[in-house]
Amino acid sequence: MKKFQGITLMLFIANLSITFCVEVHFETPDSGFFLKHSPRQNALTSASSSSSALSNKARFSGSGSVLSTDRFTVVQTSQPVSIRASYGPFSTKQTVPARYIVPDVLDSAITDSGSQNATAALIDLQQSNLHLDISAHVVKNVIARDSPVLRVLFHAGADPGGHVQRQKICVLLHASSTNRAPLKGRCMPEGEDGVCVAEVIIPANWWPPLPAPERDGRVNGIPPKSPQRIVQVSYSVFEPPARSPEHCEPKVQIQPLTPFARIPLIQSQLPYKELRADDTLTMMIPQQPLYPMSKIHVPVFLHPEPDQNIAVFIVRARVKAGMRILGATASSDEWNVSVEKENTKHTVARVTAFRKDQDPDSPAETNRAGLSTSDNRVLEIFSWMLEVANDTKEHWDGGRIIWSVSYVHDGPKSKDLSAELAVSTSTATHEEGRKKIVAKIDIQKDDIQAVLPIAKNWELMNTAVLTGRQVSQAMKVFIVSQAGKVADVTLQSSCTAEDESVIKVSSSCSSVYVDGSEVGGSSNASVVVKYGTYTGLARFTVWMPEFPLEVSVADFRLSQIKGWKIPEDQSSMNGKGKLRKKRAYGGGGWDNHGSDYVNGVSSDRSICRARYQQSPVEVYARFLAVDQDSGRVSYLISRRTGLRVTDLVQPLLRVADPKIATLRGRTLQGRAMGRTDVQVLSPITGRVIGAREVRVGSDKVTITRLQVKVVSGLQLSITNDASIENGYIAETSVTRKLTAQYQEGLLDIDLEFSDGSRTPLR
């Protein structure tokens, strides 16, 4: 007893609680939803079992007792989301942990000038961490062979607190396909808009082979059937080096590799133009219009005559008027290809193609295979990669490409072949002479490639039909030019929603919204954006609550409590009850009730009535979206998952007959025998959108037990829930020990009735 000398135990008795356990809720009601899962879902049942194991462990630890484990999902937002837990007078709050955080580090934080600077840097780091708010948007949803560039616009949002982010980030774009080495591009979001465009060039051999040209000059325009090839697109975020962040060299990873799109590869949109050096070699020129920074593949086909046996051929390219040579890639397994760039301006290059059985550097097994071109097959040997330069202001009339071709027929299979080639090419003489091909490329001025409406969240929860308050999602409109330049044209654009009974859009294109007048949800609600003669399309998923709502009453049959009477005038009783509660904390102790009350009953004569049981009320909704093309219905989380919307609809809760029962907040209490409904009204039409029947019976229950526990603290912890997208688990527990002198603890009292129900005096 000496250990707890001076420790005060304070009895807390208030109005009967609206719930039978701890109350956990969002500080902002529409920032997320608590979930009610059906036990038939095996995955969630398994997760519940693991949570129960954790709860049991906490109970045996002795330092605390788990009160509840609640699952919830967060509506994606750039604002931090906070959860508050309340248990009687105890209250605590936690912020949902950000998945990724950008450290905003000052230059002084990385100096080694002493422990004082290190401490200051640590404090600054803790106070200025920013939630990483970055989104990726594909510029074109397909990649054509004659326009082989994948571009992605990245948008980094501003810190919601208005904090200026000093630390830059580097975004790394990844493109991968089956059995192919991944490709990478990078960029750094900068400027007021915080946007950048990263791109990668897709190699020609990622597409199925082109149909070979016929010998008579005709092109077989129908490619052979092959499975659809897909490019998996992902990105990761890094912190660049502090000394030279403009180089965007990945240093410290902030966000791991995140897949976000699957882009199909398609064949060329226009037929190729065929250029022949002679009857043996053909080049295919794409006819797609070219702009500054455009890239094209130029495939090279070889179709030798029956009496020819070409071992090596050399193609030299020289470009003029705003063109550059990026390189060449092999297209055939039977030939080796080497590329030599002859100047630093990338205007002259030479490709030497060796048939593998004539290449002295090829493995012996390949040489012994006896490969030959005498079977008259037409093969795609390699593909040039050309680029239009960005400084083409004076060359709008087009660019020029001059190719020269020379051949070497079967000869000595030794190292002397390379020397022979060097001599023959350096003297510009060959037994067949050089063949020239001249191509003129049409180059147009830079133009708009795509109009991109972007939003941080493509999903909208239509809670406006439950609250009458508008729900909006910010939107911006960017244009990306053919050269990869970006501009914000939100205020210069016009927007229309294809179906305003599902979603609406502001005239300034700055937001989409729902206002409660909608009649359904959609998994492909479309907003058309126009900028001049160009259009873009934004698709949103609008989740609509399914009616009627589920009104859950824990005990829908309320009984009279035997021997418990309360005054009829509840307002007077409540006012004096609060005064009594205040006096209890005022230092006079529980014996000092004043002369007005004896055992909680006024000395004034008043009409008393029987006291009935009470029960908490919760409201749940299942949110759905309908595919407007196929009619398929999708449910948020799952069909058997309800989202708690009690906080949203609480002002619209009522009891149909207040003489039978009353509703205070979320607590239903019986008043007289009979039946009635707990109803939820629509804020738009006033009609009932959810109801639950309750009965107040004539049978009586007695108080059989009074359970008392000491509570000295309340804890709340939040962890990720891997079984649900954007899901978390909130676990609340109480401390039941008094560990310090003069520490105050409260008595937590529960009443247990003869029918097995329990009511907390909390």
Side-chain angles (χ1 to χ4, degrees), residues 495-541:
C495 296
T496 55
E498 288 189 351
D499 187 355
E500 291 197 346
S501 67
V502 174
I503 194 173
K504 299 174 178 64
V505 61
S506 63
S507 58
S508 62
C509 290
S510 58
S511 66
V512 293
Y513 64 93
V514 288
D515 57 12
S517 63
E518 295 75 27
V519 297
S522 174
S523 57
N524 49 4
S526 299
V527 174
V528 179
V529 181
K530 290 186 178 181
Y531 175 72
T533 59
Y534 299 91
T535 60
L537 187 67
R539 291 187 180 272
F540 291 86
T541 298

Side-chain angles (χ1 to χ4, degrees), residues 215 302-304 332 334-335 371-379:
R215 292 185 179 276
L302 187 69
H303 38 91
S332 173
E334 300 179 13
W335 291 74
L371 297 174
S372 174
T373 59
S374 59
D375 56 2
N376 299 329
R377 288 182 301 157
V378 180
L379 290 177

Side-chain angles (χ1 to χ4, degrees), residues 140 151 213 269 324 447 590 607 672 684:
K140 295 190 69 175
R151 280 179 176 160
Q269 301 173 356
R324 294 196 304 171
D447 201 353
W590 288 101
I607 301 175
I684 308 299

Side-chain angles (χ1 to χ4, degrees), residues 384-546:
W384 290 98
M385 169 55 67
L386 306 178
E387 179 187 50
V388 180
N390 198 21
D391 52 348
T392 56
K393 295 181 180 179
E394 300 178 359
H395 307 293
W396 301 125
D397 56 338
R400 292 182 63 201
I401 310 172
I402 302 173
W403 285 287
S404 59
V405 184
S406 57
Y407 306 95
V408 175
H409 294 277
D410 279 348
K413 301 178 182 180
S414 65
K415 295 289 183 179
D416 296 338
L417 181 61
S418 300
E420 179 183 336
L421 285 173
V423 173
S424 64
T425 55
S426 63
T427 58
T429 60
H430 194 274
E431 58 181 354
E432 295 187 8
R434 289 179 177 269
K435 311 293 176 62
K436 286 189 176 182
I437 305 175
V438 179
K440 187 175 181 180
I441 304 296
D442 182 26
I443 301 176
Q444 301 183 13
K445 293 183 179 180
D446 195 12
D447 201 353
I448 295 176
Q449 182 183 19
V451 177
L452 283 183
I454 69 170
K456 288 299 182 183
N457 190 3
W458 296 106
E459 297 185 359
L460 210 60
M461 301 290 294
N462 192 343
T463 58
V465 296
L466 303 178
T467 64
R469 297 189 299 269
Q470 184 184 100
V471 179
S472 63
Q473 172 65 50
M475 187 173 73
K476 283 190 174 184
V477 181
F478 290 92
I479 56 171
V480 180
S481 75
Q482 298 285 352
K485 299 177 181 178
V486 184
D488 184 351
V489 295
T490 305
L491 300 181
Q492 291 78 41
S493 304
S494 61
C495 296
T496 55
E498 288 189 351
D499 187 355
E500 291 197 346
S501 67
V502 174
I503 194 173
K504 299 174 178 64
V505 61
S506 63
S507 58
S508 62
C509 290
S510 58
S511 66
V512 293
Y513 64 93
V514 288
D515 57 12
S517 63
E518 295 75 27
V519 297
S522 174
S523 57
N524 49 4
S526 299
V527 174
V528 179
V529 181
K530 290 186 178 181
Y531 175 72
T533 59
Y534 299 91
T535 60
L537 187 67
R539 291 187 180 272
F540 291 86
T541 298
V542 180
W543 296 104
M544 184 78 167
E546 186 178 42

